[in-house]
Amino acid sequence: FPGGSTTMTDPPSTDEHTGPVWFIRTALSWALLLAVLAVGTVVILVPAVAGAERFTVLTGSMEPTYPPGTLIVVRPAEEDQLRVGDAITYQLKTGETTVVTHRIVAASQNTMGERSYTTQGDANDAPDAKPVIAEQVRGKVWYSIPYLGYVNNWLTGQHRAWVIGAGLSVAQRLRGNTL
């Protein structure tokens, strides 16, 4: 304006990148991201690299070691690696997809050199009725993660895509950004 002076100031910033609230949101965002990456590594990457398979415990036969909802990771094992006391996952019938995870309580070998295993659930009072032959064994339990089996069962197809999108959105919002 002629004859006068005015001072123009910028409007206050709405995208503040300092202060305790920003720091907490940023720390939570990174912690969430690192937790998701750690779980993904343990559940997806490590088994894939090792040639292992993931299964979810559905019954209480292996409690308290593997309660229902536990995600177990099973690594292939040769016959000579299986010992009494090992928890193994095996097919109920050779060549079929239905599997059980129980512990080897006895091993035997017939006159032709073929091995078989007597198994029993930790919570069961008696051994399983039918012995398990080597061809039925998918592998030995490598490690387990309680409760993650429920998530593994739920996260299939459409659910997985929805959860990944929601997780990315939450992480972005915690960081103070919008998609």
Side-chain angles (χ1 to χ4, degrees), residues 127-171:
D128 301 330
K130 295 175 78 175
V132 176
I133 59 173
E135 290 79 31
Q136 291 173 275
V137 177
R138 299 287 290 270
K140 186 164 51 170
V141 175
W142 186 18
Y143 60 89
S144 65
I145 306 170
Y147 307 110
L148 202 56
Y150 290 130
V151 177
N152 185 55
N153 282 356
W154 185 74
L155 279 179
T156 57
Q158 189 70 20
H159 288 146
R160 183 173 294 148
W162 181 83
V163 168
I164 289 171
L168 289 173
S169 178
V170 167

Side-chain angles (χ1 to χ4, degrees), residues 20-44:
V21 173
W22 174 84
F23 178 77
I24 290 169
R25 286 172 36 163
T26 301
L28 286 174
S29 172
W30 279 105
L32 178 64
L33 177 63
L34 291 174
V36 168
L37 289 174
V39 168
T41 299
V42 169
V43 172
I44 298 168

Side-chain angles (χ1 to χ4, degrees), residues 65-112:
T65 310
Y66 308 118
T70 299
L71 178 81
I72 58 171
V73 177
V74 175
R75 190 165 41 180
E78 298 295 324
E79 279 184 61
D80 60 348
Q81 296 173 323
L82 300 177
R83 306 274 182 263
V84 171
D86 289 343
I88 61 169
T89 298
Y90 60 91
Q91 300 165 331
L92 283 176
K93 293 183 181 177
T94 304
E96 292 189 7
T97 58
T98 304
V99 295
V100 173
T101 298
H102 279 174
R103 195 168 304 283
I104 298 173
V105 295
S108 60
Q109 192 169 352
N110 66 18
T111 57
M112 296 175 58

